[in-house]
Amino acid sequence: MRHGPLTLLTAAALVLTACSPPEEETPVAPVGPSATQPAPSTEPVVGYACESGQTVNVQYIDEATARISYKGATADLRLTPSGSGARYSGAEWEWWSASRDGQEQSTLGRVGPNPEVGVTILERCTRPTAGGSAPGPQPTGPGLPGAAPAAGAPCRGPQLQLAAEGSDAGAGNRETIFSLRNVGTQACTLQGHVVLTLQDTQGNTLPAVRTDRIDAGGGPFSGTAAPVSLEPQGKAFFRMRWNVVPNEAAGQRTCPTAARVSVTTPGDTSPTSLRQTFTPCGGRVSITPLRATQAPDITPQVGP
């Protein structure tokens, strides 16, 4: 049988293909907060059962690092100061855990693009701690503030009612005392500063107004805020201070008008709001930490 040139070329190509080594597969980049896989660790993995049915796995690498694994993604978070419990933060996640009533109660949150947006809760999870039935360290490592948490779960927006309790004025400065009342049926706790958002008459956020966290005397806040326990119908208080004189040195001739105050409590994402019309000048307002009483520790000193 006679073979033509085309037949011979085809046969040669098939032989070369059969002898060629298989192509290597291109590795797929990991999905999650970080494309860099953390280094292996020999620490035990602690599993937390979440309300959604998911599981968050945590390795406490050392006293200042928690490795979080969630839905196939893994990230190392670093210990961050908090009013109670252990709070670990990273570029995209926050892990906050505290033990009470024989359980370690934890939240996994997505970090917002800026402090005003805050943290969006992804999961609420628990694991038992009584009798040493769960492995892993308890979140009481160094760097945590010494204030003991108050009794009760953290207060959430739907169980709180915001109200204006009183105001004061002098030398171009203004102050309003706000209360957050527990309208729920269970006791809860608050600690620290609220996240404050000011809105105009159309409900748009006033982006040019910054919120400063201060102590009762008007200076920059430092240290740890005392926890406040709210029984049903109990109240916690904070003060908002601002200036009503335009900052002409910065070219300000008129001040923005706020029509509504919206606050989100520490560790929560559900705001509660109140109609409140005022004109914060100078591009800033100041708020004090939540307290159990209206009375300030010392005489307020409000400045531009």
Side-chain angles (χ1 to χ4, degrees):
M1 181 176 179
R2 187 177 181 181
H3 299 281
L6 181 59
T7 303
L8 295 175
L9 288 173
T10 302
L14 292 173
V15 170
L16 289 174
T17 300
C19 297
S20 299
E23 294 184 0
E24 295 184 358
E25 295 184 358
T26 303
V28 179
V31 178
S34 174
T36 303
Q37 290 290 349
S41 172
T42 58
E43 295 297 325
V45 177
V46 182
Y48 293 78
C50 306
E51 294 177 353
S52 68
Q54 294 286 335
T55 298
V56 174
N57 291 318
V58 183
Q59 282 180 294
Y60 293 99
I61 306 302
D62 52 43
E63 292 183 336
T65 308
R67 178 166 295 167
I68 310 297
S69 298
Y70 174 66
K71 289 187 174 180
T74 301
D76 284 354
L77 311 185
R78 297 293 292 174
L79 189 68
T80 304
S82 66
S84 63
R87 178 185 180 190
Y88 298 85
S89 298
E92 296 188 27
W93 283 349
E94 176 184 272
W95 177 250
W96 202 331
S97 186
S99 296
R100 59 170 61 92
D101 300 329
Q103 279 196 329
E104 190 178 333
Q105 301 177 3
S106 308
T107 58
L108 177 67
R110 180 184 295 113
V111 177
N114 56 66
E116 296 299 322
V117 175
V119 176
T120 302
I121 301 300
L122 299 174
E123 298 285 356
R124 301 185 191 277
C125 316
T126 59
R127 73 169 177 119
T129 59
S133 57
Q138 294 299 308
T140 55
L144 294 175
C155 299
R156 303 299 182 190
Q159 71 187 113
L160 296 172
Q161 185 179 73
L162 180 66
E165 298 285 344
S167 61
D168 196 6
N173 300 313
R174 302 291 186 268
E175 177 183 86
T176 294
I177 303 171
F178 291 98
S179 67
L180 284 169
R181 181 162 64 98
N182 180 5
V183 296
T185 59
Q186 302 292 326
C188 62
T189 63
L190 291 170
Q191 187 170 11
H193 291 76
V194 300
V195 176
L196 181 78
T197 302
L198 305 181
Q199 299 172 333
D200 61 19
T201 53
Q202 283 74 46
N204 300 314
T205 300
L206 299 179
V209 181
R210 186 185 71 188
T211 302
D212 293 333
R213 298 182 176 187
I214 61 172
D215 57 26
F221 180 80
S222 61
T224 303
V228 181
S229 181
L230 296 185
E231 296 295 329
Q233 302 306 313
K235 293 181 180 180
F237 303 89
F238 70 93
R239 293 168 179 256
M240 180 181 71
R241 300 169 183 169
W242 71 99
N243 191 274
V244 294
V245 179
N247 188 355
E248 296 185 359
Q252 188 179 52
R253 297 292 183 268
T254 60
C255 302
T257 299
R260 179 172 289 274
V261 173
S262 176
V263 303
T264 305
T265 57
D268 196 15
T269 58
S270 304
T272 180
S273 64
L274 174 73
R275 289 186 180 275
Q276 187 81 5
T277 301
F278 63 102
T279 54
C281 297
R284 59 189 291 187
V285 298
S286 301
I287 57 172
T288 62
L290 291 156
R291 301 183 69 244
T293 63
Q294 291 191 42
D297 292 325
I298 56 179
T299 304
Q301 299 173 359
V302 186

